[in-house]
Short mmCIF file of all heavy atoms in Angstrom, two decimals:
data_model
loop_
_atom_site.label_atom_id
_atom_site.label_comp_id
_atom_site.label_asym_id
_atom_site.label_seq_id
_atom_site.Cartn_x
_atom_site.Cartn_y
_atom_site.Cartn_z
N ALA A 669 95.47 -54.21 145.32
CA ALA A 669 94.24 -54.54 146.05
C ALA A 669 94.56 -55.33 147.29
O ALA A 669 93.90 -55.16 148.33
CB ALA A 669 93.30 -55.30 145.10
N ALA A 760 107.16 -53.83 162.18
CA ALA A 760 107.71 -52.86 163.10
C ALA A 760 106.57 -52.22 163.89
O ALA A 760 105.42 -52.36 163.59
CB ALA A 760 108.52 -51.80 162.35
N ALA A 807 114.14 -66.80 147.89
CA ALA A 807 114.03 -67.21 149.33
C ALA A 807 112.82 -66.61 150.03
O ALA A 807 112.67 -66.84 151.22
CB ALA A 807 115.29 -66.88 150.08
N ASN A 809 108.63 -65.50 150.77
CA ASN A 809 107.40 -66.29 150.98
C ASN A 809 106.67 -66.58 149.69
O ASN A 809 106.06 -67.65 149.52
CB ASN A 809 106.49 -65.61 151.98
CG ASN A 809 107.10 -65.54 153.35
OD1 ASN A 809 108.30 -65.67 153.57
ND2 ASN A 809 106.21 -65.31 154.35
N TYR A 851 101.28 -43.59 111.54
CA TYR A 851 101.44 -44.06 112.88
C TYR A 851 102.91 -44.18 113.29
O TYR A 851 103.23 -44.18 114.47
CB TYR A 851 100.74 -45.40 113.10
CG TYR A 851 101.32 -46.53 112.28
CD1 TYR A 851 102.40 -47.24 112.72
CD2 TYR A 851 100.81 -46.85 111.03
CE1 TYR A 851 102.99 -48.25 111.95
CE2 TYR A 851 101.35 -47.85 110.25
CZ TYR A 851 102.43 -48.56 110.74
OH TYR A 851 103.02 -49.55 109.97
N PRO A 868 116.42 -42.13 133.53
CA PRO A 868 115.63 -43.36 133.71
C PRO A 868 116.51 -44.60 133.73
O PRO A 868 117.73 -44.55 133.40
CB PRO A 868 114.73 -43.37 132.45
CG PRO A 868 115.53 -42.63 131.43
CD PRO A 868 116.28 -41.55 132.18
N VAL A 924 104.70 -63.10 159.76
CA VAL A 924 104.57 -64.15 158.76
C VAL A 924 105.82 -65.00 158.66
O VAL A 924 105.93 -65.82 157.74
CB VAL A 924 104.20 -63.54 157.34
CG1 VAL A 924 102.84 -62.92 157.36
CG2 VAL A 924 105.26 -62.52 156.90
N LEU A 981 121.38 -53.41 169.75
CA LEU A 981 121.76 -54.32 168.68
C LEU A 981 123.10 -54.97 168.94
O LEU A 981 123.31 -56.20 168.78
CB LEU A 981 121.76 -53.62 167.34
CG LEU A 981 122.26 -54.39 166.10
CD1 LEU A 981 121.48 -55.70 165.96
CD2 LEU A 981 122.16 -53.55 164.86
N TRP A 984 122.71 -57.65 171.52
CA TRP A 984 121.84 -58.77 171.08
C TRP A 984 122.41 -59.63 169.99
O TRP A 984 122.30 -60.84 170.03
CB TRP A 984 120.50 -58.11 170.61
CG TRP A 984 119.50 -59.11 170.09
CD1 TRP A 984 118.54 -59.76 170.80
CD2 TRP A 984 119.34 -59.55 168.74
NE1 TRP A 984 117.80 -60.57 169.99
CE2 TRP A 984 118.26 -60.46 168.69
CE3 TRP A 984 120.00 -59.28 167.55
CZ2 TRP A 984 117.84 -61.08 167.56
CZ3 TRP A 984 119.58 -59.90 166.39
CH2 TRP A 984 118.52 -60.82 166.39
#
Side-chain angles (χ1 to χ4, degrees):
N809 293 21
Y851 65 85
V924 294
L981 176 54
W984 177 91

